[in-house]
């Protein structure tokens, strides 16, 4: 599992104060990480458009532009000027280098006027700290960027996605890749952000994540976290690996999917309780809880009008592991299950 954070600026400040790593070094490492990601995709004729905000996210992009200078052709667009100290410093550095080279292969744009001849777009307008709503100018800029036929890279967070993972307007930057700095943000994995973040890649800031990050109560599950049961004995049969009973309700498909998933996860026997039609051959059907049931799953697609008396009777004599999902939380009776051992709750957000 990987740690997720609502606000990684706390981690940046900890790196400054406790680890004595200044923001300038963190920014250099962020830019270096983006450069290493882009390097295999570049040639001397590559054209890159960097759209820079007025804060430190824009500063990250300006630092990247400085590192890219001389490797390809650059266009810089800063629609809202510069405000943060680091952003001004990075812009001054870039312009000083560009002036020394007579501004060869770099252009500072005053506006975005389609069509723009560019192969890669780097979005550094707002970043992970965005909380408000997009104004008309920001919305128009994002529409132009999204319409470009180019590889689209978001710096830390696609512009238009708020810190809470919601859209700050009708649109957000639609990235092919989001290169997020230091640690993973919760917002990158929220529902409204999913169609905009593309592939998320975590870039270190010159210090390993194990040191940079602090413990977080929010975790991102990875494929490697799935550890199915190990069957140590070979001379066995299906009855050696448990019997799951899945309640079917109004939406039977949800219960059937749960049952099939249980088989794939290692359950030896799976029965569905209810009057099912077109049941897959791998599942068993029952009208009552089987006597050898070793676990129960209840709630998926259940609806609001089902009777749970048989379950109460069964649990009165047997304390088996119980998974409560989705619709079961419409029933006040679910509170009675909370005194049981081996219980898992998986409620939907609603």
């Amino acid at each position: 599992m990987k740690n997720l954070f609502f606000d990684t600026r706390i981690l940046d400040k900890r790196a400054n104060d406790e680890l004595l790593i200044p923001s300038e070094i963190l920014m250099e490492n962020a830019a270096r990480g983006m450069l290493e990601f882009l390097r295999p995709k570049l040639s001397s004729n590559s054209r890159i458009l960097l759209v820079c905000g007025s804060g430190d996210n824009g500063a990250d992009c300006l630092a990247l532009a400085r590192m890219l200078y001389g490797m390809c052709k650059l266009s810089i667009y800063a629609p809202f000027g510069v405000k943060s100290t680091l952003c001004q410093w990075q812009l001054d550095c870039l312009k000083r280098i560009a002036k020394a080279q007579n501004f060869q292969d770099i252009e500072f744009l005053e506006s975005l006027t389609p069509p723009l001849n560019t192969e890669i777009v780097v979005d550094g307008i707002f970043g992970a700290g965005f909380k408000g709503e997009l104004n008309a100018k920001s919305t128009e800029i994002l529409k132009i960027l999204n319409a470009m036929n180019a590889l689209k890279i978001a710096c830390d967070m696609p512009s238009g996605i708020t810190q809470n993972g919601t859209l700050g307007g009708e649109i957000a930057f639609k990235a092919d890749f989001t290169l997020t700095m230091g640690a993973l943000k919760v917002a990158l994995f929220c529902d409204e952000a999913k169609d905009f973040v593309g592939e998320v890649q975590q870039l270190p800031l010159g210090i390993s994540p194990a040191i940079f990050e602090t413990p977080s109560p929010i975790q991102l599950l990875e494929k490697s976290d799935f550890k199915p049961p190990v069957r140590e004995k070979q001379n066995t049969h299906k009855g050696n690996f448990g019997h799951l009973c899945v309640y079917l309700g109004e939406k039977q498909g949800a219960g059937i999917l749960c049952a099939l998933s249980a088989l794939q996860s290692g359950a030896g026997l799976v029965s569905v309780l209810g009057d099912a039609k077109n049941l897959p051959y791998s599942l068993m059907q029952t009208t009552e809880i089987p006597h050898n049931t070793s676990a129960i799953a209840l709630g998926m697609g259940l609806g609001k009008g089902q009777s749970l008396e048989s379950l109460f009777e069964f649990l009165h004599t047997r304390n088996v592991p119980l998974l409560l999902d989705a619709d079961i939380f419409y029933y006040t009776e679910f509170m009675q299950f909370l005194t049981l051992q081996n219980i898992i709750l998986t409620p939907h957000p609603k």
Side-chain angles (χ1 to χ4, degrees), residues 58-136:
D60 288 336
C61 281
L62 291 169
L64 171 63
R66 169 170 44 82
M67 295 177 183
L68 287 169
Y69 194 90
M71 298 173 59
C72 53
K73 297 175 174 59
L74 302 175
S75 296
I76 309 298
Y77 181 47
F80 306 108
V82 294
K83 293 181 180 177
S84 78
T85 301
L86 284 176
C87 192
Q88 183 65 63
W89 177 58
Q90 293 290 1
L91 180 61
D92 291 343
C93 289
L94 177 61
K95 286 189 172 181
R96 186 72 62 91
I97 293 171
K99 183 178 180 180
Q101 299 298 318
N102 295 318
F103 293 93
Q104 293 181 1
D105 293 329
I106 189 169
E107 182 180 11
F108 292 90
L109 303 176
E110 295 296 327
S111 63
L112 288 181
T113 305
L116 290 168
N117 181 21
T118 187
E119 299 166 27
I120 300 173
V121 175
V122 180
D123 161 41
I125 303 175
F126 293 123
F130 180 60
K131 295 181 181 179
E133 295 185 1
L134 295 173
N135 59 27

XYZ file of all heavy atoms in Angstrom, residues 58-136:
605
model
N 3.840 26.916 -10.998
C 4.430 27.551 -12.167
C 5.944 27.596 -12.075
O 6.651 27.448 -13.085
N 6.448 27.785 -10.852
C 7.894 27.804 -10.657
C 8.520 26.455 -11.006
O 9.612 26.392 -11.576
C 8.211 28.172 -9.210
N 7.838 25.359 -10.664
C 8.330 24.028 -11.049
C 8.501 23.941 -12.560
O 9.495 23.404 -13.067
C 7.353 22.944 -10.585
C 7.355 22.735 -9.078
O 8.365 23.062 -8.432
O 6.341 22.242 -8.556
N 7.518 24.460 -13.287
C 7.570 24.396 -14.749
C 8.672 25.292 -15.312
O 9.331 24.940 -16.293
C 6.222 24.799 -15.340
S 4.994 23.500 -15.264
N 8.866 26.462 -14.702
C 9.937 27.348 -15.158
C 11.306 26.734 -14.892
O 12.240 26.881 -15.701
C 9.809 28.700 -14.465
C 8.596 29.533 -14.903
C 8.406 30.720 -13.975
C 8.763 30.003 -16.346
N 11.442 26.021 -13.766
C 12.698 25.309 -13.494
C 12.919 24.209 -14.527
O 14.046 23.994 -15.002
C 12.668 24.729 -12.082
N 11.847 23.525 -14.891
C 11.941 22.503 -15.941
C 12.357 23.137 -17.261
O 13.202 22.591 -17.993
C 10.600 21.790 -16.084
C 10.466 20.844 -17.281
C 11.458 19.688 -17.189
C 9.035 20.300 -17.374
N 11.764 24.289 -17.591
C 12.109 24.973 -18.837
C 13.595 25.328 -18.874
O 14.265 25.197 -19.913
C 11.255 26.232 -18.985
N 14.137 25.776 -17.734
C 15.575 26.092 -17.669
C 16.419 24.863 -17.970
O 17.435 24.941 -18.675
C 15.899 26.658 -16.287
C 17.392 26.772 -16.001
C 17.690 27.549 -14.730
N 16.835 27.182 -13.624
C 17.027 26.125 -12.837
N 18.024 25.284 -13.096
N 16.222 25.895 -11.827
N 15.999 23.705 -17.429
C 16.757 22.474 -17.667
C 16.606 21.984 -19.101
O 17.521 21.361 -19.653
C 16.287 21.396 -16.691
C 16.574 21.711 -15.238
S 15.924 20.433 -14.113
C 16.324 21.143 -12.517
N 15.460 22.260 -19.714
C 15.210 21.834 -21.092
C 15.899 22.747 -22.106
O 16.097 22.352 -23.260
C 13.707 21.819 -21.380
C 12.880 20.704 -20.760
C 11.386 20.986 -20.918
C 13.210 19.353 -21.400
N 16.230 23.965 -21.681
C 16.775 24.949 -22.624
C 18.047 24.409 -23.276
O 18.959 23.936 -22.610
C 17.073 26.257 -21.896
C 17.317 27.408 -22.846
C 16.273 28.203 -23.276
C 18.591 27.676 -23.337
C 16.485 29.257 -24.158
C 18.829 28.709 -24.206
C 17.771 29.505 -24.627
O 17.996 30.533 -25.507
N 18.076 24.470 -24.600
C 19.204 23.946 -25.364
C 18.997 22.528 -25.848
O 19.756 22.056 -26.706
N 17.978 21.840 -25.303
C 17.700 20.466 -25.719
C 16.593 20.404 -26.762
O 16.485 19.427 -27.509
C 17.290 19.620 -24.503
C 18.358 19.510 -23.434
S 17.754 18.662 -21.944
C 17.258 17.090 -22.618
N 15.725 21.428 -26.798
C 14.581 21.424 -27.700
C 14.068 22.856 -27.822
O 14.680 23.795 -27.299
C 13.485 20.496 -27.176
S 13.010 20.855 -25.480
N 12.961 23.026 -28.515
C 12.381 24.354 -28.726
C 11.258 24.566 -27.703
O 10.384 23.720 -27.541
C 11.847 24.472 -30.154
C 12.946 24.346 -31.212
C 12.367 24.351 -32.613
C 13.485 24.386 -33.647
N 14.393 23.238 -33.540
N 11.285 25.724 -27.034
C 10.392 25.977 -25.918
C 9.481 27.167 -26.176
O 9.904 28.178 -26.768
C 11.200 26.248 -24.644
C 12.172 25.163 -24.177
C 12.973 25.666 -22.982
C 11.423 23.889 -23.820
N 8.243 27.044 -25.706
C 7.319 28.173 -25.637
C 6.835 28.281 -24.201
O 6.406 27.276 -23.607
C 6.132 27.972 -26.583
O 6.552 27.939 -27.930
N 6.900 29.489 -23.638
C 6.509 29.717 -22.251
C 5.305 30.652 -22.241
O 5.330 31.725 -22.846
C 7.648 30.360 -21.440
C 8.962 29.580 -21.617
C 7.256 30.447 -19.960
C 8.925 28.166 -21.131
N 4.255 30.234 -21.542
C 3.069 31.080 -21.413
C 2.716 31.189 -19.941
O 2.454 30.180 -19.274
C 1.906 30.486 -22.203
C 0.632 31.298 -22.147
C 0.635 32.675 -22.341
C -0.592 30.672 -21.898
C -0.533 33.412 -22.293
C -1.780 31.406 -21.853
C -1.734 32.773 -22.050
O -2.893 33.510 -22.003
N 2.747 32.406 -19.411
C 2.404 32.661 -18.007
C 1.217 33.618 -17.986
O 1.396 34.843 -17.877
C 3.592 33.237 -17.260
N -0.003 33.089 -18.098
C -1.171 33.948 -18.300
C -1.518 34.834 -17.115
O -2.231 35.826 -17.279
C -2.291 32.937 -18.570
C -1.833 31.670 -17.923
C -0.352 31.660 -18.070
N -1.038 34.494 -15.921
C -1.392 35.266 -14.735
C -0.181 35.927 -14.078
O -0.219 36.297 -12.905
C -2.113 34.362 -13.725
C -3.289 33.651 -14.316
C -3.246 32.282 -14.563
C -4.441 34.348 -14.648
C -4.330 31.626 -15.127
C -5.533 33.703 -15.210
C -5.479 32.343 -15.447
N 0.907 36.056 -14.849
C 2.109 36.658 -14.310
C 2.761 35.781 -13.259
O 2.565 34.566 -13.224
N 3.573 36.405 -12.396
C 4.229 35.662 -11.316
C 3.945 36.369 -9.988
O 3.899 37.593 -9.918
C 5.752 35.540 -11.543
C 6.040 34.699 -12.766
C 6.394 36.917 -11.692
N 3.742 35.566 -8.943
C 3.437 36.118 -7.618
C 4.376 35.595 -6.540
O 4.871 36.360 -5.723
C 1.983 35.801 -7.246
C 0.962 36.510 -8.117
C -0.468 36.173 -7.685
C -1.486 36.877 -8.564
N -2.883 36.518 -8.212
N 4.613 34.285 -6.529
C 5.441 33.740 -5.459
C 6.907 34.093 -5.678
O 7.361 34.323 -6.814
C 5.269 32.220 -5.369
O 6.002 31.564 -6.387
N 7.656 34.128 -4.595
C 9.080 34.464 -4.661
C 9.841 33.480 -5.528
O 10.676 33.865 -6.363
C 9.680 34.491 -3.243
O 8.980 35.445 -2.456
C 11.162 34.843 -3.279
N 9.549 32.189 -5.355
C 10.252 31.168 -6.136
C 9.892 31.248 -7.615
O 10.747 31.016 -8.480
C 9.933 29.770 -5.586
C 10.648 29.384 -4.289
C 10.165 28.022 -3.799
C 12.151 29.368 -4.480
N 8.647 31.582 -7.906
C 8.242 31.697 -9.306
C 8.979 32.850 -9.986
O 9.468 32.721 -11.114
C 6.726 31.897 -9.390
S 6.050 31.698 -11.057
N 9.083 33.979 -9.298
C 9.817 35.125 -9.850
C 11.286 34.793 -10.039
O 11.900 35.135 -11.069
C 9.668 36.324 -8.913
C 10.332 37.598 -9.439
C 9.670 38.113 -10.697
O 8.497 38.479 -10.682
N 10.409 38.146 -11.802
N 11.860 34.105 -9.060
C 13.277 33.730 -9.149
C 13.535 32.794 -10.330
O 14.494 32.990 -11.094
C 13.697 33.082 -7.830
C 15.113 32.582 -7.800
C 16.243 33.308 -8.016
C 15.534 31.241 -7.560
N 17.363 32.504 -7.918
C 16.954 31.232 -7.635
C 14.864 30.059 -7.265
C 17.693 30.069 -7.437
C 15.605 28.902 -7.055
C 17.006 28.908 -7.152
N 12.669 31.786 -10.504
C 12.848 30.847 -11.607
C 12.685 31.552 -12.955
O 13.414 31.246 -13.913
C 11.852 29.693 -11.489
C 12.057 28.773 -10.291
C 13.309 27.915 -10.399
O 14.074 27.987 -11.372
N 13.531 27.083 -9.387
N 11.737 32.480 -13.037
C 11.553 33.224 -14.292
C 12.775 34.085 -14.592
O 13.242 34.149 -15.748
C 10.298 34.087 -14.206
C 9.976 34.925 -15.459
C 9.748 34.018 -16.658
C 8.762 35.812 -15.216
N 13.323 34.743 -13.568
C 14.515 35.563 -13.769
C 15.690 34.718 -14.245
O 16.450 35.131 -15.142
C 14.875 36.283 -12.470
C 13.869 37.353 -12.084
O 13.083 37.767 -12.966
O 13.860 37.766 -10.905
N 15.862 33.538 -13.640
C 16.950 32.641 -14.052
C 16.797 32.237 -15.516
O 17.761 32.267 -16.293
C 16.960 31.395 -13.176
S 17.496 31.654 -11.478
N 15.579 31.858 -15.890
C 15.339 31.408 -17.260
C 15.591 32.541 -18.251
O 16.242 32.347 -19.291
C 13.899 30.892 -17.384
C 13.470 30.447 -18.782
C 14.333 29.285 -19.268
C 11.994 30.048 -18.789
N 15.099 33.732 -17.939
C 15.286 34.853 -18.865
C 16.752 35.257 -18.953
O 17.235 35.667 -20.028
C 14.429 36.035 -18.423
C 12.946 35.840 -18.714
C 12.145 37.099 -18.465
C 10.711 36.946 -18.948
N 9.901 38.168 -18.737
N 17.486 35.150 -17.846
C 18.911 35.475 -17.875
C 19.661 34.525 -18.813
O 20.508 34.956 -19.618
C 19.486 35.398 -16.462
C 20.928 35.860 -16.322
C 21.041 37.371 -16.466
N 20.304 38.072 -15.441
C 20.830 38.448 -14.273
N 22.092 38.139 -13.969
N 20.109 39.139 -13.411
N 19.334 33.242 -18.730
C 19.986 32.260 -19.604
C 19.569 32.481 -21.044
O 20.396 32.439 -21.970
C 19.621 30.825 -19.145
C 20.237 30.543 -17.775
C 20.092 29.796 -20.162
C 19.764 29.243 -17.156
N 18.267 32.732 -21.269
C 17.770 32.942 -22.630
C 18.417 34.175 -23.263
O 18.775 34.171 -24.448
C 16.253 33.085 -22.608
N 18.587 35.244 -22.470
C 19.208 36.466 -22.986
C 20.647 36.216 -23.397
O 21.126 36.718 -24.424
C 19.131 37.561 -21.931
C 19.695 38.896 -22.396
C 19.548 39.948 -21.308
C 20.108 41.291 -21.768
N 19.978 42.324 -20.708
N 21.348 35.413 -22.592
C 22.744 35.101 -22.916
C 22.854 34.317 -24.221
O 23.886 34.372 -24.898
C 23.383 34.316 -21.770
N 21.785 33.611 -24.568
C 21.772 32.816 -25.799
C 20.977 33.511 -26.904
O 20.586 32.869 -27.885
C 21.173 31.442 -25.511
C 21.927 30.626 -24.484
C 23.337 30.319 -24.915
O 23.584 29.988 -26.078
N 24.290 30.444 -23.983
N 20.719 34.814 -26.724
C 19.973 35.601 -27.716
C 18.587 35.020 -27.982
O 18.072 35.094 -29.105
C 20.754 35.705 -29.031
C 22.040 36.488 -28.865
O 22.083 37.515 -28.187
N 23.121 35.975 -29.451
N 18.011 34.441 -26.944
C 16.644 33.909 -27.002
C 16.451 32.905 -28.143
O 15.388 32.827 -28.746
C 15.629 35.059 -27.114
C 15.566 35.910 -25.885
C 16.343 37.056 -25.784
C 14.758 35.549 -24.819
C 16.299 37.844 -24.634
C 14.706 36.331 -23.671
C 15.483 37.484 -23.585
N 17.485 32.124 -28.413
C 17.371 31.090 -29.433
C 16.500 29.947 -28.919
O 16.642 29.492 -27.790
C 18.746 30.549 -29.811
C 19.631 31.567 -30.525
C 20.969 30.977 -30.908
O 21.244 29.802 -30.663
N 21.824 31.793 -31.510
N 15.606 29.481 -29.756
C 14.759 28.310 -29.487
C 13.884 28.473 -28.246
O 13.507 27.486 -27.615
C 15.607 27.041 -29.336
C 16.277 26.647 -30.650
O 15.687 26.932 -31.705
O 17.369 26.070 -30.614
N 13.550 29.697 -27.879
C 12.601 29.917 -26.792
C 11.751 31.137 -27.119
O 12.239 32.122 -27.694
C 13.303 30.098 -25.429
C 12.281 30.114 -24.294
C 14.159 31.348 -25.414
C 12.896 30.020 -22.910
N 10.486 31.050 -26.764
C 9.549 32.137 -27.036
C 8.656 32.325 -25.821
O 8.113 31.353 -25.279
C 8.701 31.788 -28.267
C 7.728 32.876 -28.678
C 6.914 32.480 -29.901
O 6.963 31.288 -30.287
O 6.220 33.355 -30.458
N 8.524 33.566 -25.377
C 7.626 33.904 -24.284
C 6.334 34.453 -24.878
O 6.318 35.538 -25.463
C 8.283 34.925 -23.345
C 9.446 34.366 -22.583
C 10.728 34.431 -23.113
C 9.257 33.763 -21.346
C 11.807 33.902 -22.420
C 10.331 33.237 -20.640
C 11.610 33.307 -21.178
N 5.265 33.662 -24.766
C 4.011 33.990 -25.431
C 3.199 34.997 -24.629
O 3.166 34.952 -23.392
C 3.179 32.726 -25.645
C 3.841 31.585 -26.438
C 2.910 30.376 -26.474
C 4.204 32.034 -27.845
N 2.501 35.868 -25.322
C 1.573 36.808 -24.697
C 0.163 36.243 -24.652
O -0.665 36.684 -23.849
C 1.584 38.131 -25.462
C 2.905 38.871 -25.406
C 3.264 39.310 -23.990
O 2.331 39.615 -23.203
O 4.471 39.340 -23.667
N -0.119 35.280 -25.520
C -1.452 34.669 -25.568
C -1.349 33.311 -26.237
O -0.324 32.981 -26.856
C -2.438 35.557 -26.334
O -2.022 35.705 -27.687
N -2.426 32.521 -26.115
C -2.522 31.244 -26.810
C -3.462 31.416 -27.987
O -4.674 31.578 -27.808
C -3.054 30.150 -25.878
C -2.126 29.646 -24.776
C -2.831 28.557 -23.971
C -0.818 29.123 -25.332
N -2.920 31.376 -29.170
C -3.731 31.552 -30.372
C -3.609 30.302 -31.228
O -2.574 30.086 -31.860
C -3.269 32.778 -31.178
O -3.279 33.925 -30.325
C -4.199 33.020 -32.355
N -4.639 29.464 -31.230
C -4.577 28.256 -32.052
C -4.477 28.637 -33.540
O -4.965 29.699 -33.936
C -5.901 27.548 -31.743
C -6.390 28.178 -30.474
C -5.892 29.581 -30.497
N -3.866 27.754 -34.380
C -3.215 26.506 -33.946
C -1.795 26.759 -33.452
O -1.105 27.625 -33.965
C -3.209 25.682 -35.241
C -3.118 26.714 -36.329
C -3.878 27.920 -35.838
N -1.384 26.021 -32.427
C -0.044 26.108 -31.879
C 0.715 24.840 -32.242
O 0.247 23.728 -32.001
C -0.091 26.283 -30.367
C -0.606 27.643 -29.867
C -0.889 27.580 -28.381
C 0.394 28.747 -30.172
N 1.884 25.019 -32.804
C 2.683 23.885 -33.250
C 3.529 23.378 -32.083
O 4.601 23.913 -31.796
C 3.573 24.308 -34.425
C 4.405 23.149 -34.954
O 4.073 21.976 -34.730
N 5.476 23.466 -35.660
N 3.019 22.380 -31.384
C 3.756 21.834 -30.241
C 3.488 20.348 -30.122
O 2.408 19.861 -30.497
C 3.358 22.559 -28.937
O 4.206 22.128 -27.880
C 1.915 22.267 -28.567
N 4.462 19.621 -29.643
C 4.337 18.166 -29.501
C 4.028 17.762 -28.067
O 3.440 16.708 -27.828
C 5.637 17.490 -29.941
C 6.007 17.751 -31.384
C 7.437 17.363 -31.672
O 7.954 16.474 -30.971
O 8.039 17.961 -32.583
N 4.437 18.592 -27.101
C 4.243 18.291 -25.684
C 3.727 19.544 -24.987
O 4.245 20.646 -25.212
C 5.556 17.823 -25.014
C 6.080 16.549 -25.694
C 5.349 17.577 -23.523
C 7.454 16.107 -25.198
N 2.706 19.376 -24.161
C 2.174 20.465 -23.353
C 2.379 20.110 -21.889
O 2.005 19.016 -21.446
C 0.672 20.704 -23.626
C 0.121 21.767 -22.685
C 0.451 21.098 -25.076
N 2.971 21.028 -21.125
C 3.151 20.839 -19.686
C 2.261 21.849 -18.964
O 2.400 23.062 -19.155
C 4.621 21.026 -19.261
C 4.759 20.828 -17.751
C 5.522 20.051 -20.014
N 1.348 21.334 -18.164
C 0.404 22.167 -17.417
C 0.927 22.409 -16.013
O 1.020 21.482 -15.211
C -0.963 21.463 -17.370
C -1.856 21.993 -16.252
O -1.866 23.223 -16.042
O -2.521 21.174 -15.587
N 1.245 23.663 -15.711
C 1.681 24.035 -14.368
C 0.936 25.259 -13.873
O 1.521 26.126 -13.226
N -0.359 25.331 -14.171
C -1.123 26.539 -13.853
C -1.454 26.613 -12.368
O -1.154 27.594 -11.686
C -2.411 26.616 -14.696
C -2.074 26.567 -16.191
C -3.174 27.901 -14.381
C -3.292 26.514 -17.103
N -2.092 25.552 -11.830
C -2.580 25.630 -10.454
C -1.936 24.616 -9.511
O -1.602 24.933 -8.385
C -4.101 25.446 -10.411
C -4.844 26.571 -11.063
C -5.719 26.331 -12.107
C -4.669 27.872 -10.639
C -6.402 27.362 -12.715
C -5.345 28.913 -11.240
C -6.215 28.660 -12.289
N -1.796 23.365 -9.926
C -1.193 22.375 -9.049
C -2.138 21.858 -7.981
O -3.355 22.016 -8.055
N -1.534 21.272 -6.917
C -2.303 20.520 -5.925
C -2.987 21.392 -4.892
O -3.811 20.904 -4.134
C -1.395 19.513 -5.219
N -2.665 22.684 -4.832
C -3.259 23.527 -3.807
C -4.503 24.264 -4.245
O -5.025 25.102 -3.506
N -5.032 23.957 -5.436
C -6.173 24.694 -5.975
C -7.439 24.381 -5.182
O -7.796 23.230 -4.987
C -6.361 24.322 -7.446
C -7.507 25.017 -8.121
C -7.553 26.396 -8.203
C -8.537 24.286 -8.677
C -8.599 27.029 -8.840
C -9.598 24.909 -9.304
C -9.624 26.287 -9.382
N -8.135 25.424 -4.731
C -9.331 25.241 -3.911
C -10.571 25.918 -4.493
O -11.682 25.550 -4.145
C -9.100 25.803 -2.503
C -8.047 25.086 -1.695
C -7.916 25.707 -0.314
C -6.850 25.008 0.512
N -6.700 25.618 1.851
N -10.374 26.907 -5.339
C -11.508 27.728 -5.766
C -12.205 27.209 -7.003
O -12.274 26.005 -7.243
N -12.715 28.150 -7.781
C -13.401 27.823 -9.029
C -12.654 28.469 -10.188
O -12.065 29.548 -10.054
C -14.845 28.318 -8.993
C -15.702 27.617 -7.949
C -17.153 28.056 -8.038
O -17.473 28.872 -8.920
O -17.949 27.580 -7.214
N -12.689 27.820 -11.323
C -12.042 28.359 -12.513
C -12.784 29.593 -12.993
O -14.011 29.602 -13.072
C -12.028 27.310 -13.620
C -11.200 26.048 -13.391
C -11.445 25.056 -14.511
C -9.722 26.388 -13.287
N -12.025 30.628 -13.315
C -12.659 31.790 -13.930
C -12.736 31.590 -15.445
O -12.271 30.573 -15.983
C -11.914 33.077 -13.565
C -10.449 33.047 -13.995
O -10.078 32.363 -14.946
N -9.613 33.795 -13.289
N -13.310 32.563 -16.119
C -13.542 32.425 -17.563
C -12.227 32.286 -18.330
O -12.127 31.487 -19.271
C -14.340 33.625 -18.072
